[in-house]
Amino acid sequence: MPPIYVKPENALKRSEELLALGTPQSQQQAFENLVEVFMSKKFKHTPVAILEPIVFKFLDLCVEMNRKAHARQALLQFKNAVQTTSVASIEKVLNHFIAQAEGRLSAAVEQAKAEVAALPENPVVDDELPLQPASLLLDTFTESAGDRERIERRLIAPAQKFCWDAYDISLDIAKSNDRLEIIYQSVAHRAFNFCKIHQRKSDFRRLCEQRLRKDLTNAAKYGHQQHAINLSDPETLGRFLDTRFLQLETAVELELWQEAFRSVEDVHGLVAAGKKVAKPAMMANYYEKLTQIFKAEGGKQTAVFHAAAWSRYHQYAERAGILNDKAPGSVLLSALAVPLGEVETKQRLIALLNLPKMPTRESLVKEAAAKHLKKVPADIKQIYNILEVDFQPTTACKILAPLISGLASEYQPYLPALKEVVLSRLVQELAQVYDTVTLSHILNLVKPFDNTSWSTDMPSLEKFLMTACRRGDINASVDHVAQTITFVTSTAQPNRLSDLAIVLYNTIQYLNPAPVTSRADAFAAAIAQAEEERKQVAHRRQIVQKRRELMEEANLRKQREESTALAERLKAKALEDERRAKEAAKQAEVDRLKKQMEDARRAEAEQLAKQLADKGALKVDIKNIEDLDSSKLVQLQVEQLAKEKKEHSERLRIVGKRVDHLERAMRKEERPLLVEDYENQKVQDKKEHEKLNKESKELAIQQQKSSIELKSRLSRMLDDYLIVRDNVENQREKEFKLAREQARAKVDQEKKKLKEKLIERKKAEKEQRDQERREAEERERQAAEEAEAREAEEAARAEEEAKAAAEIEARKAEAAERAAQAKAEREAQRAKDMELIAKQREREEEAERRRAERSSGAGSYRAPGARSTPAAAAAPSPAASSPAAAPAPLAGAAPKAGGWRERAAAKENGTASPTATPSSPAPPAEGDASANAPAAESGGKWVPRRGRGGGALPPSGGRTASGRGW
């Protein structure tokens, strides 16, 4: 039966009720009740608002009961459930968990302080009391530990351990997730503070090595996954750098120099990996920590790196504006304190300092003097002048003695290294002048240092000389018997400047005994020669550079071709090997499967044959049977069973027949003996019955006697028994009444509490309902107001739409009216155009008629519009004067057929009638606008063209019979 699912909110309420009882059993039961919630399959589907208080309560119980494993599992399940919906909830839960762990630690510290304060100043020890094994063992192994240490170990140590585990669990939950990266960094900062306050050095090393560096490596390794840490983001890189700088500061404060050096490497790796340049203040802090690390870690070997770190610190601190007044002096003194000998090159340290090459004492001193000599105090400037500018062996120690005594406390750590530099410089200067010097003479030179921190005696001087010779600062041998030091000089290099000057002068005199030119000419010639040599050198340098570039290009091209060919060969070989490996693996897999199937078949057959042989069902030798098969074995088994069944049935038939004959004979023989046996049986039964009756009577008599004796013995103590029974009953009745009254009082009290809770809950529910009702009324009122506003807005919008529609209709009516008016105007204009066209046609026809008359020679010239007959000329028709009427044909003239082509053809043939008149003109087409254009432009009036005689010209194209115009 599956377990009953309990809602998370009900489980939380039940746990709170159990915790209210305040007993360890109820606390354990409440814890188990919440564990069931986390074990439920529906945990992931529970809303975040319900899960948060459950997780808070569960983590509180884990802190109180020291259950770190359960806390880790709960936080992991909660993260998996809500990381896609609410990252802020995870941060809130982690902060709550760490706050509870820190609160437990604070409470333990306060309790330990209270118990330590309550201890007597002089504890009284009773020697007569026996020692307990635990206290005896504790005293044996902690002889110096007192009561205070024991109290702190008992109270504070478990709380510190759990607090550290809380930091580790929180970092494990928030690692490798960019959405939880901020809480991850904040937890790391709190862990650093915890280690610094409580001096947890081992925990700090474990935090740096097993957590932070490992998480950063995994983040870079799995950067392709979703929500992975992106170190190319400037903000993310800045947060990681802040954490590493805090880690570096904590390591320096805890004096864990090895871990500080690893932290410096972490910072350098992050700065190198980031695309954005770090802030100057951050880099200044970085180099300041490097100065402390190199000073404490490397001693003389890393003095040059200490000075270089000071130089880099001053550079970035000046940019950031956080430079103090003592920094320039520290830069110059740290450079002066570098030993004079050669220092081993360490690429690792050079990379940490972001330097292009190995720093040297000469370069550091030169750079520090050029930049900071004017800013340093006067005593440090004087020390620089004595050591580097003008070192006088006889007076240097006298001048330096008061200076080193008056140096500020910030510069005192550089005095031991400066002492060795001064002694080395003193011995080197002596080696330039002397071959052998007594040790007492050197002691006299450094005697002014006797009352200072640089006081030197003979053993320390000998030790320094031996160390300087071993380092290579000086090339000399010490004679301890004669108390002298002998300097070894090379014969090829004279050690006297005077000898070198003499040799050079003699050489110049030999090469150039007497100048043949003046000084100015020689100087000009030297300048010209130097310029020519400079040009030649520049030309050769260009040639060499060009050759080097060509060689590099050729080498690169050759390497590229070789690498490409090698890559292709390797790729082809890899493909071939992969193909062969796949084929071999496939064949091996096929063989393995075949062999496995064959082995399985044979094993199954052997097992079946063995089972049959063990049961006795198979009477065949299995070892002699080859090619075992389950079907063959089954067939053999069936045949064997059939044979055995047949044999068994035959044996049963024979045995049954024999048994029937034997039974018949036995019954025949026993029939006469049955009567006699019956009589003997009756006699024997009667004897047994009488014997049993006698024994039962004797037993009953004996039992009665013993019962009477027991009754008489117990009757004597009956009164005492009754008294004791009454007392016991009375006592139990009193206890029962008392327990019942207590139970009733407790029940009444619980009822009262429950009643108060119910009243408070009812009151709260009533207030909540009233609040909800008021909120609902307020929402309804707001909804009504919004509905009224929407209705008013809709009415205004409808009114505007109606106005717009009316305006549109008015514009449409106006447009229709304008269109009708324009149409009427067009119709009137068309009528006018028609009249003009008709007049034009009349004129054309009249002109044609006159041309025809002139061409035929019948009659003289007449004015336009004259008739050919006297009757027509005397009485013109009124219709002829009408502009709209067509001209009437002449009397007796036949109607003209065809156009001008026919008339021209008739004229050539001599068949044209001189009296023919054109027919009535057809109405012009409606679309013929070209014919109406002149009339339309002149307002419907005829505008005569100016020609000869001032007469009106015929229409366009009108000509006389001779082909000339009027």
Side-chain angles (χ1 to χ4, degrees):
M1 181 178 180
I4 300 174
Y5 174 70
V6 181
K7 291 185 177 180
E9 53 269 23
N10 295 339
L12 178 62
K13 188 180 298 183
R14 176 61 179 166
S15 299
E16 290 177 351
E17 293 175 355
L18 291 171
L19 291 174
L21 299 178
T23 60
Q25 294 81 3
S26 62
Q27 187 181 20
Q28 179 66 25
Q29 190 173 358
F31 180 79
E32 294 175 355
N33 192 18
L34 292 179
V35 169
E36 293 178 357
V37 176
F38 287 93
M39 294 176 61
S40 174
K41 294 182 179 179
K42 298 183 180 180
F43 180 81
K44 292 184 178 181
H45 305 290
T46 308
V48 180
I50 298 176
L51 287 181
E52 277 189 4
I54 296 174
V55 176
F56 287 159
K57 182 60 69 176
F58 184 75
L59 292 177
D60 294 344
L61 291 175
C62 290
V63 173
E64 293 179 6
M65 301 172 68
N66 202 15
R67 301 290 184 89
K68 62 178 181 180
H70 291 83
R72 182 189 295 271
Q73 190 66 24
L75 287 172
L76 185 60
Q77 291 189 8
F78 182 75
K79 173 194 171 184
N80 295 334
V82 305
Q83 65 180 351
T84 57
T85 57
S86 178
V87 179
S89 299
I90 301 177
E91 296 181 358
K92 190 185 302 182
V93 168
L94 291 178
N95 287 327
H96 178 79
F97 179 48
I98 295 175
Q100 291 296 320
E102 291 176 348
R104 176 187 172 185
L105 178 59
S106 302
V109 171
E110 295 297 331
Q111 184 178 357
K113 288 182 180 179
E115 292 188 7
V116 169
L119 290 175
E121 296 181 359
N122 298 320
V124 179
V125 180
D126 193 355
D127 297 334
E128 297 180 357
L129 292 177
L131 289 175
Q132 297 295 330
S135 60
L136 182 62
L137 186 63
L138 189 62
D139 291 338
T140 302
F141 286 96
T142 58
E143 296 179 357
S144 61
D147 294 336
R148 178 175 180 177
E149 287 77 6
R150 296 178 184 178
I151 291 172
E152 291 179 353
R153 191 180 300 109
R154 175 173 54 87
L155 296 176
I156 300 177
Q160 288 180 346
K161 181 67 171 60
F162 189 86
C163 189
W164 164 252
D165 292 334
Y167 292 131
D168 185 67
I169 291 170
S170 301
L171 290 173
D172 189 23
I173 295 298
K175 68 180 181 180
S176 301
N177 195 331
D178 59 346
R179 295 174 296 182
L180 300 175
E181 191 255 333
I182 296 177
I183 185 65
Y184 179 86
Q185 304 297 342
S186 65
V187 172
H189 293 180
R190 297 171 78 167
F192 291 150
N193 191 27
F194 166 80
C195 296
K196 183 168 60 176
I197 292 175
H198 300 282
Q199 293 296 310
R200 308 280 291 188
K201 296 184 178 181
S202 60
D203 290 341
F204 179 76
R205 283 193 292 266
R206 196 186 319 157
L207 172 66
C208 298
E209 186 65 31
Q210 300 180 6
R211 177 57 60 194
L212 297 180
R213 292 193 184 95
K214 186 177 179 181
D215 293 345
L216 184 60
T217 304
N218 292 335
K221 183 178 180 181
Y222 303 104
H224 61 279
Q225 296 180 354
Q226 187 181 12
H227 300 298
I229 300 297
N230 184 15
L231 293 178
S232 60
D233 186 8
E235 295 182 358
T236 303
L237 182 62
R239 285 191 285 266
F240 269 92
L241 283 175
D242 293 340
T243 302
R244 290 306 184 275
F245 277 117
L246 184 59
Q247 174 183 335
L248 179 59
E249 292 179 2
T250 308
V252 171
E253 292 183 7
L254 293 176
E255 296 182 356
L256 298 174
W257 304 113
Q258 189 173 6
E259 191 61 41
F261 189 79
R262 292 197 186 99
S263 302
V264 168
E265 290 183 335
D266 294 342
V267 173
H268 180 264
L270 287 174
V271 172
K275 298 180 180 179
K276 187 177 180 181
V277 181
K279 298 179 181 178
M282 188 180 298
M283 295 305 298
N285 187 14
Y286 169 72
Y287 287 114
E288 184 181 6
K289 296 301 181 294
L290 274 180
T291 58
Q292 300 178 14
I293 292 171
F294 289 144
K295 177 183 177 182
E297 180 73 13
K300 297 179 181 178
Q301 292 297 326
T302 57
V304 63
F305 298 105
H306 173 74
W310 264 116
S311 178
R312 300 286 285 175
Y313 165 74
H314 186 278
Q315 179 182 355
Y316 282 96
E318 190 174 9
R319 291 182 188 176
I322 56 174
L323 189 65
N324 54 11
D325 298 336
K326 303 294 183 180
S330 299
V331 174
L332 185 56
L333 274 181
S334 62
L336 292 174
V338 177
L340 296 178
E342 296 293 334
V343 182
E344 181 183 358
T345 302
K346 296 182 180 180
Q347 295 296 335
R348 197 174 173 188
L349 302 182
I350 295 173
L352 290 180
L353 287 168
N354 295 320
L355 295 174
K357 60 181 180 179
M358 178 68 186
T360 59
R361 184 181 186 277
E362 291 75 11
S363 61
L364 291 173
V365 172
K366 184 177 179 181
E367 182 182 1
K371 293 182 178 180
H372 314 302
L373 189 60
K374 297 180 180 180
K375 303 177 184 179
V376 298
D379 48 357
I380 299 178
K381 187 184 301 183
Q382 193 172 359
I383 292 174
Y384 166 75
N385 292 327
I386 293 172
L387 289 179
E388 300 298 329
V389 178
D390 185 15
F391 187 82
Q392 299 294 332
T394 56
T395 60
C397 297
K398 296 180 182 179
I399 302 174
L400 287 173
L403 294 177
I404 62 174
S405 301
L407 280 178
S409 59
E410 290 83 0
Y411 307 133
Q412 293 294 327
Y414 298 104
L415 293 181
L418 279 175
K419 174 186 175 182
E420 294 187 1
V421 172
V422 171
L423 292 178
S424 299
R425 184 62 64 109
L426 178 64
V427 174
Q428 288 181 357
E429 292 295 329
L430 292 175
Q432 296 293 329
V433 180
Y434 302 103
D435 291 334
T436 302
V437 180
T438 60
L439 298 180
S440 59
H441 179 65
I442 298 176
L443 284 177
N444 292 330
L445 292 176
V446 298
K447 192 173 182 180
F449 295 148
D450 288 345
N451 296 326
T452 63
S453 58
W454 286 7
S455 61
T456 306
D457 53 0
M458 185 62 70
S460 61
L461 178 61
E462 291 181 356
K463 182 178 179 181
F464 166 74
L465 292 175
M466 297 303 296
T467 305
C469 293
R470 186 176 65 253
R471 288 202 308 256
D473 295 347
I474 57 176
N475 191 7
S477 61
V478 179
D479 188 354
H480 296 281
V481 177
Q483 295 291 313
T484 60
I485 178 172
T486 302
F487 302 105
V488 180
T489 58
S490 176
T491 58
Q493 297 178 357
N495 58 355
R496 292 178 180 272
L497 295 177
S498 60
D499 296 340
L500 179 61
I502 291 171
V503 171
L504 290 175
Y505 179 76
N506 294 332
T507 303
I508 292 172
Q509 291 296 326
Y510 176 77
L511 295 175
N512 191 9
V516 296
T517 59
S518 64
R519 184 178 181 87
D521 296 339
F523 187 71
I527 292 177
Q529 185 178 1
E531 183 66 21
E532 184 65 23
E533 291 178 355
R534 186 188 65 78
K535 291 181 180 179
Q536 294 177 0
V537 169
H539 182 64
R540 287 196 298 270
R541 186 182 295 113
Q542 291 178 359
I543 294 174
V544 170
Q545 183 69 22
K546 187 64 176 179
R547 289 179 179 176
R548 186 182 294 113
E549 292 178 357
L550 292 176
M551 292 178 63
E552 289 179 355
E553 290 179 359
N555 291 332
L556 287 176
R557 185 165 56 254
K558 183 177 179 181
Q559 292 177 2
R560 192 180 300 111
E561 292 174 356
E562 292 177 354
S563 61
T564 304
L566 180 61
E568 291 178 355
R569 290 196 301 271
L570 292 176
K571 185 177 180 181
K573 184 179 179 182
L575 291 175
E576 183 65 21
D577 295 342
E578 185 178 359
R579 185 184 61 79
R580 291 178 180 177
K582 286 182 179 180
E583 291 179 356
K586 184 184 293 185
Q587 185 63 31
E589 183 68 17
V590 171
D591 296 341
R592 186 183 65 80
L593 291 176
K594 287 182 179 179
K595 188 176 182 302
Q596 187 176 1
M597 292 172 63
E598 184 67 23
D599 294 343
R601 184 187 62 77
R602 185 167 183 82
E604 183 181 0
E606 290 180 356
Q607 185 178 4
L608 179 60
K610 186 177 179 181
Q611 291 178 358
L612 295 176
D614 293 340
K615 292 179 181 179
L618 189 62
K619 299 297 181 64
V620 183
D621 190 4
I622 302 174
K623 297 181 180 179
N624 297 329
I625 298 177
E626 296 181 357
D627 298 332
L628 287 176
D629 196 356
S630 301
S631 59
K632 293 181 180 180
L633 292 174
V634 171
Q635 185 178 358
L636 290 174
Q637 182 185 9
V638 170
E639 293 175 357
Q640 186 71 24
L641 288 176
K643 183 178 178 181
E644 290 180 356
K645 184 177 181 182
K646 185 176 180 181
E647 293 176 356
H648 186 261
S649 61
E650 183 64 23
R651 285 197 300 270
L652 286 179
R653 187 184 64 79
I654 295 171
V655 171
K657 189 174 182 180
R658 188 184 296 118
V659 170
D660 288 343
H661 286 285
L662 181 61
E663 184 67 22
R664 189 181 298 114
M666 290 176 63
R667 288 186 180 183
K668 186 176 180 181
E669 291 294 331
E670 77 176 358
R671 195 178 294 128
L673 300 176
L674 291 177
V675 178
E676 185 180 357
D677 183 68
Y678 177 67
E679 293 297 334
N680 293 333
Q681 186 68 30
K682 288 196 295 184
V683 174
Q684 187 68 25
D685 290 343
K686 186 175 180 181
K687 289 180 181 180
E688 291 292 336
H689 177 67
E690 291 176 355
K691 183 179 178 180
L692 289 175
N693 284 336
K694 184 178 179 181
E695 290 178 357
S696 61
K697 287 181 181 179
E698 290 177 358
L699 182 60
I701 292 170
Q702 187 177 0
Q703 288 180 354
Q704 185 180 10
K705 288 181 180 180
S706 62
S707 300
I708 291 172
E709 291 177 359
L710 180 61
K711 181 180 179 182
S712 61
R713 186 170 67 252
L714 293 178
S715 62
R716 294 194 298 272
M717 64 178 70
L718 180 61
D719 298 335
D720 296 336
Y721 164 72
L722 295 174
I723 293 171
V724 172
R725 187 186 67 181
D726 294 340
N727 292 336
V728 171
E729 289 178 353
N730 293 333
Q731 182 66 23
R732 288 183 178 178
E733 185 177 0
K734 291 179 181 178
E735 292 177 357
F736 174 72
K737 289 180 180 179
L738 181 60
R740 184 172 60 185
E741 290 176 358
Q742 291 178 355
R744 185 179 293 109
K746 188 174 181 180
V747 169
D748 294 339
Q749 186 177 1
E750 293 296 330
K751 285 183 178 180
K752 185 176 179 181
K753 291 181 180 179
L754 181 60
K755 185 177 180 181
E756 291 176 356
K757 289 183 180 179
L758 289 174
I759 292 172
E760 291 178 357
R761 189 173 66 185
K762 293 291 184 181
K763 188 181 296 183
E765 290 177 354
K766 183 179 179 182
E767 292 178 356
Q768 185 177 0
R769 286 196 300 271
D770 293 342
Q771 181 68 20
E772 291 177 354
R773 180 177 53 79
R774 287 193 297 270
E775 291 177 356
E777 291 177 355
E778 181 66 21
R779 287 195 296 270
E780 291 177 357
R781 185 182 61 78
Q782 293 178 358
E785 291 178 356
E786 291 177 358
E788 291 177 359
R790 284 196 299 272
E791 290 177 358
E793 186 178 356
E794 290 177 357
R797 190 183 299 111
E799 185 177 355
E800 292 178 358
E801 291 177 355
K803 288 181 180 180
E807 291 179 357
I808 291 171
E809 292 295 333
R811 285 196 295 270
K812 286 182 178 180
E814 185 178 354
E817 184 178 354
R818 285 197 301 268
Q821 185 177 357
K823 185 176 181 182
E825 291 178 355
R826 286 196 300 273
E827 292 293 336
Q829 184 66 31
R830 188 179 293 114
K832 292 180 180 180
D833 294 341
M834 292 296 291
E835 292 178 358
L836 293 174
I837 291 170
K839 291 180 179 180
Q840 181 70 14
R841 287 183 181 276
E842 287 179 2
R843 287 189 291 270
E844 289 179 355
E845 291 174 356
E846 184 66 22
E848 288 290 335
R849 186 179 60 78
R850 287 194 299 268
R851 283 195 298 270
E853 290 178 354
R854 285 193 302 270
S855 63
S856 60
S860 59
Y861 175 77
R862 291 189 300 270
R867 299 296 180 180
S868 60
T869 59
S877 176
S881 61
S882 176
L890 296 175
K896 184 179 180 181
W900 66 274
R901 296 181 186 275
E902 288 77 3
R903 292 194 299 271
K907 179 180 178 181
E908 291 178 358
N909 296 329
T911 58
S913 177
T915 58
T917 58
S919 60
S920 301
E926 184 178 355
D928 190 5
S930 62
N932 304 334
E937 291 176 2
S938 60
K941 298 180 181 179
W942 171 254
V943 181
R945 296 176 63 185
R946 287 183 291 177
R948 290 181 297 175
L953 293 174
S956 177
R959 294 281 183 179
T960 60
S962 61
R964 294 181 291 109
W966 293 93

